[in-house]
Amino acid sequence: MRNYYYSSRILDIPCKVCGDFSSGKHYNIFACDGCAGFFKRSIRRNRQYVCKAKEEGTCVIDKTHRNQCRACRLQKCQEAGMNKDAVQHERGPRNSTLRRQQMSSFFSETRERIMVTPPGGVLNLTMPKDATMFPLIPPATFLCNTMLTMPRLPTLPLAPILPPAVVNPAAICESAARLLFMNVQWTKSIPSFALLPFSDQLLLLEESWRELFVLGSAQFLPLTELSCLVQACGILQRDENHTAFLQNVQEFQDILFNIRHFQLDHQEYACLRTILLFKTCFEKPSSSSNPNQTDVKVLTDPRKVASIQDETQLTLNKYISAAHPGQPLRFGKLLLLLPSLKNVSGNTIEELFFRKTIGHIPIVRIISDMYKSQPPSNL
């Protein structure tokens, strides 16, 4: 199958600010989505940043260090030719509900602050030379830039996942919010997914968001244990009957350990992510949670979805045979690992990462709103 997931013509043009892959022209120059979004937020909010380097204005701004100094990044955006007038005259987003406004602000702030040092300097998220740094979560384009394009390998390696010396729950939750947002963007970037009926797109996303989040947590979040998040989320103080919750947290932690035990590469993660998304069997609604709910979840075009999943499994099998010839059972073991991801409940994820920020709004509703409001990704 040909590489239809991104245009090589665009990706061949680097971002004039950081040198990463360009996603097209933004505010008069070729730029990546990260730098374009940073520039837009900075101009719209009239942000004034201060460089903390000894020699002001000398910070290196590239795809690895672009989040280290916002003052120098904004300066480089302007020097590269980004036009602030284009931002000011650009029509702003239209949100139809209070919930969408709340989450738009939340995820926008999360994306901006994700690599900023938390208060008190407990954990520096900006210094790549620091061995305790959180691994940088890449843009959504990276999640699918290897999808069904074998034998091409990723060209954007990530830092290894290392347990931080001091865990900052707030920073982890911000990373989790970015991961959630990134998964939504990723689905938008898949042409075969966008060609499905819209009802099927929403159903697949809503049914797979938990598994995609768990898989992404194993790949990108620096979590070796979840006890710090349990203490920080406050559920032990709010709810006396938290035994089931703690058991599910332990299962979540075990799943993360099992996934990382395989030391998956980016190609394998990309294929597993697609297999999880393109599914044809869904969990039945719980009669205990909603006795009146009798809706049966059915795809409009299940054959198309099944064919994409089958093709991805074949692709993964071929890749593993070539990349891991000494592990003939690896493919089967990875597929057997996937059903366990369903065991992590949405409530557990919400309590650990999002409850303090968004209250009791179900994540699945937020994801649906995000998907409906996000424009198609230009890959």
Side-chain angles (χ1 to χ4, degrees):
M1 179 169 292
R2 298 193 178 189
N3 178 5
Y4 49 61
Y5 279 93
Y6 56 93
S7 169
S8 58
R9 178 180 62 82
I10 292 179
L11 290 183
D12 285 342
I13 303 176
C15 172
K16 291 187 67 175
V17 179
C18 70
D20 201 351
F21 292 134
S22 164
S23 61
K25 267 200 170 182
H26 303 277
Y27 311 120
N28 203 40
I29 69 170
F30 281 97
C32 65
D33 290 334
C35 290
F38 166 78
F39 183 73
K40 177 175 70 174
R41 293 191 300 274
S42 299
I43 298 303
R44 281 187 174 174
R45 300 174 187 178
N46 196 26
R47 292 292 173 84
Q48 303 294 324
Y49 304 121
V50 178
C51 178
K52 297 181 181 180
K54 292 183 179 180
E55 297 182 16
E56 186 174 346
T58 61
C59 298
V60 175
I61 303 299
D62 56 24
K63 65 182 181 182
T64 304
H65 305 87
R66 61 190 176 196
N67 295 292
Q68 185 169 341
C69 179
R70 290 179 291 180
C72 289
R73 188 181 189 184
L74 180 58
Q75 178 181 340
K76 191 168 182 181
C77 287
Q78 295 169 332
E79 292 175 350
M82 279 194 175
N83 183 1
K84 65 179 182 180
D85 292 334
V87 177
Q88 293 168 345
H89 295 133
E90 183 180 44
R91 185 179 68 181
R94 293 175 296 174
N95 295 326
S96 60
T97 66
L98 178 61
R99 184 175 74 253
R100 187 174 299 170
Q101 291 174 352
Q102 178 186 17
M103 292 312 301
S104 174
S105 174
F106 169 60
F107 282 101
S108 178
E109 289 294 334
T110 296
R111 293 193 301 275
E112 179 178 344
R113 304 194 322 263
I114 190 66
M115 295 302 291
V116 177
T117 307
V122 175
L123 181 63
N124 190 334
L125 302 184
T126 66
M127 300 298 290
K129 63 184 180 180
D130 188 348
T132 65
M133 147 181 118
F134 288 89
L136 173 62
I137 296 180
T141 53
F142 177 72
L143 291 184
C144 59
N145 70 353
T146 60
M147 268 299 263
L148 304 180
T149 62
M150 313 303 186
R152 182 167 183 165
L153 296 176
T155 58
L156 181 60
L158 296 180
I161 297 177
L162 298 174
V166 180
V167 176
N168 187 295
I172 293 178
C173 291
E174 290 186 356
S175 296
R178 182 171 182 176
L179 175 61
L180 195 70
F181 180 86
M182 187 175 61
N183 280 335
V184 175
Q185 287 186 310
W186 168 69
T187 60
K188 283 280 187 181
S189 71
I190 305 176
S192 57
F193 188 79
L195 291 176
L196 295 173
F198 190 74
S199 60
D200 285 0
Q201 297 176 38
L202 282 179
L203 177 57
L204 292 174
L205 179 60
E206 291 171 357
E207 288 297 309
S208 64
W209 79 265
R210 292 180 296 134
E211 297 152 90
L212 292 175
F213 182 87
V214 173
L215 188 66
S217 298
Q219 185 177 10
F220 297 120
L221 299 186
L223 294 172
T224 54
E225 62 175 41
L226 303 174
S227 58
C228 65
L229 295 178
V230 173
Q231 295 295 330
C233 74
I235 190 173
L236 301 182
Q237 292 73 37
R238 295 195 309 269
D239 186 2
E240 295 182 357
N241 300 320
H242 47 251
T243 303
F245 171 77
L246 294 179
Q247 290 175 345
N248 200 227
V249 169
Q250 181 62 51
E251 189 166 15
F252 188 0
Q253 186 169 299
D254 292 341
I255 291 171
L256 293 178
F257 175 82
N258 291 336
I259 295 174
R260 289 175 180 158
H261 173 73
F262 285 95
Q263 297 181 327
L264 304 175
D265 60 30
H266 305 312
Q267 197 84 37
E268 291 170 312
Y269 270 117
C271 285
L272 292 180
R273 186 175 287 109
T274 310
I275 293 170
L276 290 172
L277 177 65
F278 288 92
K279 64 178 65 176
T280 55
C281 297
F282 309 114
E283 297 179 359
K284 295 181 180 179
S286 173
S287 58
S288 60
S289 60
N290 190 349
N292 298 322
Q293 186 174 8
T294 58
D295 295 340
V296 178
K297 303 171 184 178
V298 178
L299 289 169
T300 305
D301 193 356
R303 290 186 179 181
K304 178 63 175 177
V305 175
S307 67
I308 296 174
Q309 187 185 71
D310 290 344
E311 184 177 0
T312 309
Q313 291 186 20
L314 289 174
T315 300
L316 177 60
N317 193 15
K318 291 179 180 179
Y319 173 75
I320 290 178
S321 298
H324 305 279
Q327 302 181 39
L329 302 179
R330 184 178 180 87
F331 172 70
K333 288 181 178 179
L334 290 184
L335 291 188
L336 290 174
L337 183 66
L338 296 184
S340 66
L341 275 61
K342 299 179 182 179
N343 296 338
V344 182
S345 73
N347 180 68
T348 297
I349 296 174
E350 292 168 359
E351 287 287 354
L352 286 176
F353 298 97
F354 306 112
R355 187 73 76 212
K356 275 193 170 183
T357 306
I358 64 175
H360 290 276
I361 303 174
I363 290 294
V364 68
R365 287 169 54 193
I366 294 170
I367 288 177
S368 296
D369 281 352
M370 288 167 59
Y371 188 80
K372 294 173 184 176
S373 63
Q374 285 289 312
S377 180
N378 297 321
L379 295 180

